[in-house]
Amino acid sequence: MNIVMALETQPQHITIDRTAGLMVVTWRDGHHSEYALTWLRAHCPCATCREERREAVLAADPLRLTPTPAPSSEVVDAEFVGHYAIRFTWGDGHIAGIFPFSALRASCSCAECNPEGPPPLVSD
Ligand SMILES: [Zn+2]
Ligand SMILES: [Zn+2]
């Protein structure tokens, strides 16, 4: 089997600037993408987070308060998952989310890629 990966979904460099709260990806086609860590955490693609987001949408009662703190958007560690994705270890220990590069590239926050703003990383 011959898997051909497009250059635009292969990272050349990934820098996680924890002070700025940003992940900066330089893709192999030369494009730069920036992702706020808070945005990445808010779009965590794992099944648990997707389910929580679905429930939050269903329970859209304006009187409902959410006493639970926002999930940590502090990245403790990051590792590649094969050649296709990156996984973060968040400050609260959450490690379930695997972020495919193709989805990250599609959600690039620059005006050239997504003039209307980045689409959700995964559809819930
Ligand atoms: Zn998650
Ligand atoms: Zn872009």
Side-chain angles (χ1 to χ4, degrees), residues 36-105:
L37 298 179
T38 49
W39 185 88
L40 290 171
R41 180 62 202 259
H43 290 84
C44 178
C46 84
T48 307
C49 293
R50 289 168 73 164
E51 188 57 37
E52 279 176 12
R53 287 197 295 270
R54 235 192 317 262
E55 283 174 7
V57 170
L58 292 176
D61 182 336
L63 293 177
R64 189 185 169 107
L65 301 175
T66 50
T68 49
S72 173
S73 58
E74 185 191 334
V75 170
V76 178
D77 201 6
E79 62 178 353
F80 289 109
V81 180
H83 291 290
Y84 76 97
I86 187 168
R87 173 162 63 180
F88 301 105
T89 301
W90 301 100
D92 56 4
H94 190 67
I95 57 163
I98 291 172
F99 294 74
F101 295 130
S102 55
L104 286 169
R105 179 62 191 254

Side-chain angles (χ1 to χ4, degrees), residues 31-33 108-110 112-113:
H31 195 72
H32 284 258
S33 301
C108 176
S109 63
C110 84
E112 196 185 315
C113 295

